[in-house]
Amino acid sequence: MLTIASSDSGGGAGIQADLKAFARCGAHGMSAIVALTAQNTRGVTAIAEQSPGIVRDQIRTVLDDLGADAAKTGMLFSSAIIEAVADELTGRGLPLVVDPVMVASSGSRLLQPDAVQTLTKRLFPLATVVTPNLPEAQALTGMATEDRAALAQRLVAMGAAAALVTGGHGAEPVDHLFDGRSHLRISVPRYPVAATHGAGCTHSAALAAALAAGLP
């Protein structure tokens, strides 16, 4: 399993959360780190983006030797990084979960505004499934609705093979999956605690591990 994302120094999200989820699901985790963050439970205080070249080298070096059964992306931060990731993944045929991380739970912006179009144009067509939360789905589609079915349909129309809009936000705790043919509502528990930082990373990493294991 390969995660292409950013480091969370607090260990709650990002690369650290992905690797923990992979291990819990019985998968060997590998990583390509695209940015370093100074981050804790209260927020993100600094971001240091890596060069597109080193991002390409990490992905290529891992996949050309160890290979992978699936991959996922998390916080990618900039257009240049997204382009590098897409260039390296194109043609490899890997199941890919794209978690379009845009804003941290604390409110810090984790995707530059000019990178949103690059994300949808370059990575959505490579994705087996995209997994935005409700605010991310609304921002990506330009739709203000909480109708997850409509949002998921629009995300698929934008190029993703399938979309799963997660249930952590909004009035109704439901994950909603649309695979281009049918809709599936998945009721989920919503826990009354503040420590939900990294939930989307963990969710998408577990989904990627399941795809790697051959599950639909």
Side-chain angles (χ1 to χ4, degrees):
M1 288 294 311
L2 174 63
T3 172
I4 306 165
S6 299
S7 170
D8 172 1
S9 56
I15 290 285
Q16 288 83 348
D18 291 345
L19 293 175
K20 291 173 196 176
F22 291 166
R24 180 65 181 83
C25 294
H28 171 68
M30 305 171 292
S31 62
I33 300 176
V34 309
L36 307 177
T37 70
Q39 187 172 172
N40 57 26
T41 61
R42 296 188 297 272
V44 180
T45 59
I47 298 173
E49 181 181 6
Q50 304 302 290
S51 72
I54 192 63
V55 172
R56 288 192 183 95
D57 288 344
Q58 289 178 85
I59 298 170
R60 185 180 306 153
T61 300
V62 167
L63 294 182
D64 287 352
D65 175 29
L66 295 158
D69 294 312
K72 68 147 292 189
T73 63
M75 171 190 157
L76 298 179
F77 191 60
S78 71
S79 287
I81 294 295
I82 294 168
E83 294 280 7
V85 171
D87 287 345
E88 283 304 316
L89 293 181
T90 296
R92 291 188 182 270
L94 280 177
L96 176 65
V97 177
V98 172
D99 185 16
V101 178
M102 301 178 72
V103 179
S105 298
S106 62
S108 300
R109 176 168 286 279
L110 302 178
L111 183 69
Q112 294 178 342
D114 65 352
V116 175
Q117 185 175 359
T118 310
L119 179 74
T120 57
K121 180 181 178 182
R122 293 297 316 274
L123 280 186
F124 272 33
L126 301 176
T128 306
V129 58
V130 297
T131 61
N133 61 32
L134 183 61
E136 289 163 348
Q138 292 169 334
L140 288 164
T141 61
M143 300 167 62
T145 181
E146 286 197 12
D147 183 344
R148 286 178 171 82
L151 291 166
Q153 280 193 204
R154 177 58 185 152
L155 290 162
V156 169
M158 292 168 66
L164 194 155
V165 182
T166 59
H169 298 77
E172 195 173 13
V174 172
D175 289 349
H176 192 104
L177 172 67
F178 179 62
D179 66 357
R181 298 177 300 279
S182 58
H183 290 272
L184 177 64
R185 287 167 48 87
I186 307 165
S187 295
V188 294
R190 183 179 289 168
Y191 297 101
V193 295
T196 55
H197 169 65
C201 301
T202 301
H203 179 277
S204 56
L207 178 53
L211 291 174
L215 296 176

Tab-separated table of all heavy atoms in Angstrom, residues 6 33-37 46-52 54-55 75-82 112:
chain	number	residue	atom	x	y	z
A	6	SER	N	0.877	14.099	3.213
A	6	SER	CA	1.759	14.964	3.996
A	6	SER	C	1.910	14.450	5.419
A	6	SER	O	1.046	13.747	5.942
A	6	SER	CB	1.220	16.392	4.005
A	6	SER	OG	1.171	16.905	2.679
A	33	ILE	N	6.060	11.361	0.806
A	33	ILE	CA	5.686	12.542	1.575
A	33	ILE	C	5.826	13.778	0.699
A	33	ILE	O	6.898	14.061	0.173
A	33	ILE	CB	6.557	12.671	2.835
A	33	ILE	CG1	6.369	11.431	3.719
A	33	ILE	CG2	6.202	13.938	3.608
A	33	ILE	CD1	7.262	11.402	4.940
A	34	VAL	N	4.728	14.517	0.537
A	34	VAL	CA	4.728	15.671	-0.363
A	34	VAL	C	4.916	16.988	0.376
A	34	VAL	O	5.264	17.998	-0.224
A	34	VAL	CB	3.442	15.720	-1.216
A	34	VAL	CG1	3.199	14.384	-1.903
A	34	VAL	CG2	2.235	16.106	-0.388
A	35	ALA	N	4.664	16.991	1.691
A	35	ALA	CA	4.856	18.199	2.489
A	35	ALA	C	5.004	17.800	3.948
A	35	ALA	O	4.518	16.748	4.377
A	35	ALA	CB	3.687	19.169	2.331
A	36	LEU	N	5.695	18.639	4.700
A	36	LEU	CA	5.803	18.486	6.143
A	36	LEU	C	4.918	19.547	6.789
A	36	LEU	O	4.878	20.688	6.324
A	36	LEU	CB	7.242	18.670	6.609
A	36	LEU	CG	8.307	17.819	5.913
A	36	LEU	CD1	9.686	18.186	6.439
A	36	LEU	CD2	8.035	16.340	6.108
A	37	THR	N	4.222	19.172	7.844
A	37	THR	CA	3.449	20.166	8.575
A	37	THR	C	3.891	20.190	10.029
A	37	THR	O	4.280	19.173	10.597
A	37	THR	CB	1.930	19.882	8.546
A	37	THR	OG1	1.637	18.731	9.331
A	37	THR	CG2	1.442	19.693	7.124
A	46	ALA	N	2.584	25.518	10.395
A	46	ALA	CA	3.523	25.729	9.285
A	46	ALA	C	3.444	24.557	8.321
A	46	ALA	O	3.156	23.422	8.718
A	46	ALA	CB	4.952	25.884	9.805
A	47	ILE	N	3.703	24.840	7.036
A	47	ILE	CA	3.730	23.820	5.990
A	47	ILE	C	4.981	24.023	5.157
A	47	ILE	O	5.263	25.139	4.708
A	47	ILE	CB	2.490	23.907	5.078
A	47	ILE	CG1	1.205	23.648	5.881
A	47	ILE	CG2	2.600	22.917	3.913
A	47	ILE	CD1	-0.070	23.877	5.083
A	48	ALA	N	5.748	22.946	4.966
A	48	ALA	CA	6.935	22.982	4.115
A	48	ALA	C	6.734	22.000	2.967
A	48	ALA	O	6.827	20.778	3.141
A	48	ALA	CB	8.194	22.630	4.911
A	49	GLU	N	6.431	22.535	1.793
A	49	GLU	CA	6.196	21.709	0.606
A	49	GLU	C	7.511	21.115	0.107
A	49	GLU	O	8.553	21.774	0.097
A	49	GLU	CB	5.566	22.581	-0.485
A	49	GLU	CG	5.234	21.846	-1.763
A	49	GLU	CD	4.646	22.777	-2.812
A	49	GLU	OE1	4.618	24.002	-2.571
A	49	GLU	OE2	4.232	22.284	-3.870
A	50	GLN	N	7.459	19.859	-0.323
A	50	GLN	CA	8.615	19.227	-0.933
A	50	GLN	C	8.643	19.553	-2.430
A	50	GLN	O	7.652	19.987	-3.004
A	50	GLN	CB	8.573	17.719	-0.706
A	50	GLN	CG	8.484	17.323	0.761
A	50	GLN	CD	9.647	17.864	1.575
A	50	GLN	OE1	10.784	17.426	1.427
A	50	GLN	NE2	9.372	18.848	2.426
A	51	SER	N	9.761	19.307	-3.081
A	51	SER	CA	9.853	19.602	-4.507
A	51	SER	C	9.106	18.540	-5.311
A	51	SER	O	9.050	17.368	-4.911
A	51	SER	CB	11.314	19.634	-4.952
A	51	SER	OG	11.856	18.319	-4.959
A	52	PRO	N	8.526	18.906	-6.455
A	52	PRO	CA	7.881	17.912	-7.302
A	52	PRO	C	8.837	16.778	-7.686
A	52	PRO	O	8.422	15.621	-7.795
A	52	PRO	CB	7.443	18.714	-8.532
A	52	PRO	CG	7.256	20.105	-8.022
A	52	PRO	CD	8.335	20.278	-6.987
A	54	ILE	N	11.344	15.379	-5.905
A	54	ILE	CA	11.504	14.372	-4.856
A	54	ILE	C	10.221	13.584	-4.662
A	54	ILE	O	10.249	12.399	-4.315
A	54	ILE	CB	11.973	15.019	-3.530
A	54	ILE	CG1	12.420	13.937	-2.535
A	54	ILE	CG2	10.887	15.864	-2.912
A	54	ILE	CD1	13.600	13.113	-2.968
A	55	VAL	N	9.072	14.215	-4.927
A	55	VAL	CA	7.805	13.479	-4.861
A	55	VAL	C	7.779	12.406	-5.951
A	55	VAL	O	7.442	11.241	-5.691
A	55	VAL	CB	6.617	14.437	-4.996
A	55	VAL	CG1	5.305	13.659	-5.120
A	55	VAL	CG2	6.565	15.382	-3.803
A	75	MET	N	-3.432	15.028	1.596
A	75	MET	CA	-3.104	16.426	1.386
A	75	MET	C	-1.974	16.548	0.369
A	75	MET	O	-0.867	16.065	0.583
A	75	MET	CB	-2.674	17.063	2.708
A	75	MET	CG	-2.103	18.465	2.552
A	75	MET	SD	-1.364	19.063	4.080
A	75	MET	CE	-0.218	20.300	3.426
A	76	LEU	N	-2.264	17.219	-0.756
A	76	LEU	CA	-1.266	17.383	-1.832
A	76	LEU	C	-0.819	18.831	-1.995
A	76	LEU	O	0.169	19.084	-2.677
A	76	LEU	CB	-1.818	16.842	-3.147
A	76	LEU	CG	-2.133	15.344	-3.139
A	76	LEU	CD1	-2.701	14.905	-4.488
A	76	LEU	CD2	-0.910	14.513	-2.796
A	77	PHE	N	-1.552	19.768	-1.482
A	77	PHE	CA	-1.170	21.162	-1.277
A	77	PHE	C	-1.131	22.043	-2.522
A	77	PHE	O	-1.696	23.110	-2.539
A	77	PHE	CB	0.167	21.266	-0.535
A	77	PHE	CG	0.483	22.656	-0.058
A	77	PHE	CD1	-0.366	23.305	0.827
A	77	PHE	CD2	1.604	23.330	-0.504
A	77	PHE	CE1	-0.097	24.601	1.266
A	77	PHE	CE2	1.883	24.618	-0.072
A	77	PHE	CZ	1.034	25.256	0.816
A	78	SER	N	-0.434	21.631	-3.598
A	78	SER	CA	-0.224	22.560	-4.715
A	78	SER	C	-0.419	21.891	-6.066
A	78	SER	O	-0.367	20.662	-6.193
A	78	SER	CB	1.194	23.138	-4.655
A	78	SER	OG	2.152	22.151	-4.996
A	79	SER	N	-0.612	22.724	-7.085
A	79	SER	CA	-0.749	22.216	-8.455
A	79	SER	C	0.481	21.451	-8.902
A	79	SER	O	0.377	20.399	-9.553
A	79	SER	CB	-1.013	23.375	-9.420
A	79	SER	OG	-2.318	23.877	-9.287
A	80	ALA	N	1.666	21.954	-8.561
A	80	ALA	CA	2.901	21.299	-9.003
A	80	ALA	C	3.014	19.899	-8.422
A	80	ALA	O	3.437	18.956	-9.112
A	80	ALA	CB	4.108	22.144	-8.594
A	81	ILE	N	2.640	19.736	-7.157
A	81	ILE	CA	2.684	18.411	-6.536
A	81	ILE	C	1.658	17.487	-7.179
A	81	ILE	O	1.948	16.319	-7.481
A	81	ILE	CB	2.437	18.526	-5.025
A	81	ILE	CG1	3.587	19.268	-4.346
A	81	ILE	CG2	2.241	17.142	-4.406
A	81	ILE	CD1	4.918	18.565	-4.395
A	82	ILE	N	0.452	17.987	-7.403
A	82	ILE	CA	-0.590	17.163	-8.026
A	82	ILE	C	-0.160	16.697	-9.411
A	82	ILE	O	-0.358	15.538	-9.781
A	82	ILE	CB	-1.913	17.934	-8.087
A	82	ILE	CG1	-2.438	18.196	-6.671
A	82	ILE	CG2	-2.959	17.165	-8.909
A	82	ILE	CD1	-3.569	19.196	-6.607
A	112	GLN	N	-3.990	24.702	-1.969
A	112	GLN	CA	-3.996	26.057	-2.491
A	112	GLN	C	-5.169	26.246	-3.455
A	112	GLN	O	-5.517	25.327	-4.201
A	112	GLN	CB	-2.664	26.349	-3.191
A	112	GLN	CG	-1.484	26.367	-2.234
A	112	GLN	CD	-0.163	26.596	-2.933
A	112	GLN	OE1	-0.046	26.429	-4.152
A	112	GLN	NE2	0.852	26.971	-2.172
